[in-house]
Amino acid sequence: MQLFIDTAKPDEIRQALKWGFIDGVTTNPTLASEVGKPYKDVITEILGMVNGPVSLETIADDAVGIVREGLALSKLQSNVYVKIPCTLAGYEATKTLTSEGIKVNMTLCFSVNQALLAAKVGASFVSPYLGRVDDFTDGLGDEFISRVRHVYDNYHFKTKILAASIHDVEHVSQVAEMGADIATVPFAILREMTDHPLTKLGQAKFHKDWQDSGLTLPI
Ligand code: G3P
């Protein structure tokens, strides 16, 4: 499974890239609005440091507008995935863009049918919103991801399942078990994934035993 970072903050992306387990970046208008810099500057900084897929979202509500924005975003760099909501206009625009070879991530996906249609119009990624589905259905988000997986496997669709709206560390392991191709994870949750109380306890004992022994490194 690939791991993306779900943020538009260049500092978080820079740090996560150093950790070594990040394959790409997803942004959205809300995340971009939190950075506090002009959007063009933010995108330029992100694209300057990320080689993997970077999802940049359109804002227009009509197909013509989405296509216009999508074309402009896709021209910025070859690793840009145009992020388009699962609306009727979004499907129409996605079909137009994918027919021209432009990579699309269909977002705001809340049903198996929306995911099915994203595959039909040639999206590279579909983003089922696990956390928000969980919030509205009393914890059925993981079932949602596995149902999309089942449908995609039935028909050998090439669209990748990009589990989004990850709200805690459990969500990450759940989507890995459910067969998501990618999970996009906020910075704080990525860091929390490395954490385990027994690792900390074990490390403290190793340090104490090492100090007591008088052994030294490097050899
Ligand atoms: O990038 C889209 C998605 O991950 C947003 O998540 O937490 O706003 O539901 P959230």
Side-chain angles (χ1 to χ4, degrees):
M1 183 176 76
Q2 289 194 304
L3 268 184
F4 292 176
I5 183 167
D6 197 23
T7 185
K9 292 183 179 153
D11 290 349
E12 292 187 348
I13 295 167
R14 193 171 294 108
Q15 176 59 66
L17 287 171
K18 281 190 201 156
W19 290 334
F21 41 68
I22 289 304
D23 304 295
V25 175
T26 52
T27 67
N28 65 38
T30 303
L31 295 171
S33 75
E34 291 166 358
V35 182
K37 290 185 195 166
Y39 190 47
K40 191 165 188 287
D41 296 353
V42 173
I43 294 179
T44 305
E45 203 172 342
I46 294 173
L47 293 178
M49 63 178 143
V50 182
N51 296 322
V54 176
S55 291
L56 302 175
E57 192 153 341
T58 56
I59 287 295
D61 284 328
D62 62 300
V64 172
I66 297 171
V67 168
R68 189 174 51 240
E69 291 174 358
L71 283 172
L73 291 171
S74 71
K75 281 183 188 138
L76 292 173
Q77 206 159 283
S78 61
N79 57 336
V80 169
Y81 284 62
V82 180
K83 210 170 167 190
I84 299 177
C86 288
T87 60
L88 203 48
Y91 289 107
E92 184 181 332
T94 298
K95 182 68 186 176
T96 303
L97 290 169
T98 59
S99 303
E100 294 181 28
I102 289 162
K103 299 180 287 282
V104 173
N105 171 4
M106 291 211 78
T107 189
L108 287 171
C109 175
F110 290 96
S111 76
V112 176
N113 282 336
Q114 286 178 319
L116 171 65
L117 297 175
K120 294 293 296 175
V121 292
S124 299
F125 301 153
V126 67
S127 294
Y129 269 43
L130 171 64
R132 293 194 203 181
V133 169
D134 253 358
D135 292 346
F136 284 99
T137 60
D138 207 14
L140 293 178
D142 55 337
E143 195 176 296
F144 173 38
I145 300 280
S146 38
R147 288 177 67 206
V148 175
R149 175 80 281 155
H150 187 68
V151 169
Y152 277 20
D153 288 350
N154 277 351
Y155 301 103
H156 307 290
F157 286 132
K158 293 200 168 60
T159 304
K160 289 188 173 169
I161 301 172
L162 196 175
S165 187
I166 298 282
H167 289 175
D168 55 47
V169 286
E170 274 306 304
H171 277 158
V172 184
S173 41
Q174 277 170 9
V175 302
E177 285 166 5
M178 299 297 158
D181 299 292
I182 308 160
T184 188
V185 183
F187 182 81
I189 297 176
L190 283 171
R191 191 165 47 192
E192 204 184 330
M193 283 169 68
T194 67
D195 210 20
H196 196 284
L198 292 179
T199 305
K200 282 191 177 136
L201 265 179
Q203 195 186 26
K205 178 163 166 44
F206 285 157
H207 283 165
K208 184 177 179 315
D209 292 346
W210 186 261
Q211 293 293 340
D212 293 350
S213 72
L215 298 171
T216 55
L217 263 180
I219 297 163

